Amino acid sequence: MEHLIRGWDGEYVVVRYDRQANAWMFIAIHSTVLGNASGGSRMKVYDTPSDGLRDAQRLAAGMTYKWAGVDFPLGGGKGVIALSGPVDGKERDRLLERYGQLVDSMRGAFSTGADLGVGPELVKIIGRETTHVFGLRGAGDPGPYTALGVFTGIETVAAELFGSSDLTDRTVIVQGTGDVGLPLCKKLAGAGASLKIADINAERARGVAAELGAEAIEADAVYSEPCDIFAPCAVGGVLNAYTIPQLRCRAVVGSANNQLGETEDATRLHQRGILYTPDFIINSGGAIALCGMEALGMSDDYVVRKILSIRDMLKSIFDEAKQNDESPLAAAERRARRVLERGPA
Ligand code: NAD
């Protein structure tokens, strides 16, 4: 852990050890240049506590880019409860309450919300101990807001590649029909797209496809099935040295976090002529809604306008990437760094 903290470019890490559950809590604050840190908290079993710390550090840095990418006055932070084995019932609730006390002790330097293993119901338990939580007031489910951002991104990419944002008969594959994938599929179907849907839960994919007049495809067919746009809305790491050569799409526009197996995968996509929309821009809709409404006092209308402005962000990122013959990821990261250098607007 010493090695991880020494080698990190972030600001600080708050650590607690819970003896009773043999669990570690890490709150990694990557950057407060733009404002107090904000990011979700995840709870899962890790092989070692160091793996949990590494995850917190990596995800906190991602939040710095996400907030800078959309120019929000918030800093990058992330919480991880690293379990040594599964917990449930009263023991899980006790752990989350203790985690809530830890968040509260930071007096607003970090505010948090749902992430992997900490769904909205568990955020409520953290919220028993601190007011520095998102998702309990106002904004509700972030999924539809994230889907709105992805849908806007798909329209923007269609305009970029095909000269029109009209999605009629454009073939889109959606991987994952959960909180984001389902509302996205509904929007795409409403816009007349020719929709192919996959989910690891094949029955769910078939049900959604039947409801929307779409085609359900096998979960492992998403990479090689021809389409205009591939929308990964399930898990991370789906774009890698193995899947990228199989892709038969013109663009990748989806909500999943950490879609790239490694940074070089952005270059692999660029070399194949596949337009990639960086995840920290395209999936920011839910975070914009939750933090915008609950921390920054924005109205629903304003938040929706901010999410729709993902269109302009993407356009300028695509233009810069084109000028430099580089991946949109490189241009988006440079844009975020420029905002961080400038400081709060
Ligand atoms: P979810 O858990 O509600 O839904 C995920 C869906 O994907 C489920 O239906 C699941 O069965 C399916 N799935 C899992 N593995 C799959 C696979 N290998 N192939 C096909 N389907 C698979 O999650 P969600 O909230 O919809 O989030 C989806 C992705 O978007 C995640 O990567 C998440 O981190 C990211 N994201 C979500 C939000 C949000 O607002 N919910 C915001 C930003 C990013």
Side-chain angles (χ1 to χ4, degrees):
M1 285 205 247
E2 197 185 325
H3 163 75
L4 283 174
I5 291 172
R6 196 186 293 128
W8 194 43
D9 67 347
E11 292 181 10
Y12 63 99
V13 181
V14 177
V15 183
R16 286 288 183 282
Y17 174 61
D18 187 88
R19 195 176 302 278
Q20 194 172 316
N22 186 22
W24 290 79
M25 299 172 185
F26 302 106
I27 296 177
I29 305 296
H30 180 257
S31 168
T32 54
V33 167
L34 298 181
N36 283 337
S38 182
S41 290
R42 64 175 51 177
M43 177 166 68
K44 62 179 275 230
V45 176
Y46 289 90
D47 288 343
T48 68
S50 298
D51 291 337
L53 171 60
R54 189 180 294 106
D55 220 13
Q57 291 177 313
R58 184 180 58 87
L59 293 162
M63 288 309 299
T64 298
Y65 272 90
K66 180 169 286 190
W67 295 129
V70 297
D71 205 354
F72 248 42
L74 293 170
K78 202 87 179 185
V80 163
I81 304 175
L83 304 172
S84 52
V87 289
D88 50 23
K90 285 196 173 128
E91 183 59 358
R92 181 200 62 191
D93 294 3
R94 182 197 63 77
L95 201 57
L96 287 166
E97 282 173 358
R98 180 149 190 230
Y99 180 73
Q101 289 159 13
L102 175 61
V103 172
D104 201 57
S105 72
M106 294 173 72
R107 298 172 185 223
F110 175 62
S111 49
T112 194
D115 201 274
L116 209 75
V118 182
E121 285 308 307
L122 300 192
V123 173
K124 282 186 194 158
I125 299 175
I126 299 173
R128 287 177 194 162
E129 301 293 331
T130 182
T131 54
H132 301 294
V133 284
F134 293 111
L136 302 184
R137 307 174 297 276
D141 180 5
Y145 291 102
T146 305
L148 175 64
V150 176
F151 180 74
T152 302
I154 290 176
E155 285 186 323
T156 310
V157 161
E160 178 79 14
L161 292 178
F162 312 119
S164 163
S165 60
D166 183 2
L167 297 178
T168 313
D169 295 333
R170 289 274 161 231
T171 306
V172 183
I173 293 181
V174 178
Q175 178 190 44
T177 55
D179 231 22
V180 180
L182 180 60
L184 175 64
C185 285
K186 288 183 176 166
K187 282 190 161 300
L188 289 166
S194 163
L195 198 54
K196 297 184 184 185
I197 296 173
D199 198 293
I200 200 101
N201 179 342
E203 204 176 313
R204 188 172 159 84
R206 280 195 295 272
V208 175
E211 182 192 331
L212 300 177
E215 181 189 347
I217 60 171
E218 295 294 322
D220 55 10
V222 291
Y223 306 111
S224 54
E225 184 83 12
C227 63
D228 293 309
I229 291 164
F230 171 43
C233 299
V235 289
V238 293
L239 303 170
N240 53 52
Y242 174 71
T243 58
I244 291 170
Q246 299 177 47
L247 292 176
R248 293 169 72 193
C249 60
R250 296 284 311 279
V252 179
V253 194
S255 74
N257 272 315
N258 304 317
Q259 290 167 38
L260 303 173
E262 51 184 352
T263 309
E264 289 69 34
D265 292 319
T267 311
R268 288 193 180 103
L269 287 164
H270 178 59
Q271 284 166 347
R272 280 219 50 210
I274 296 172
L275 190 60
Y276 168 68
T277 52
D279 53 2
F280 62 88
I281 301 283
I282 194 71
N283 71 14
S284 58
I288 289 175
L290 242 59
C291 294
M293 284 192 221
E294 297 189 10
L296 305 172
M298 295 173 178
S299 67
D300 187 59
D301 275 2
Y302 186 88
V303 155
V304 167
R305 280 205 302 280
K306 187 80 191 163
I307 296 172
L308 294 177
S309 76
I310 287 177
R311 180 188 306 132
D312 300 326
M313 280 177 225
L314 282 179
K315 273 195 209 147
S316 71
I317 288 167
F318 292 155
D319 286 349
E320 191 169 325
K322 226 185 292 174
Q323 260 171 19
N324 297 322
D325 188 19
E326 64 186 0
S327 150
L329 178 66
E333 287 184 342
R334 202 178 311 109
R335 176 194 151 95
R337 280 195 297 273
R338 279 199 298 265
V339 171
L340 288 165
E341 276 160 25
R342 182 210 65 199

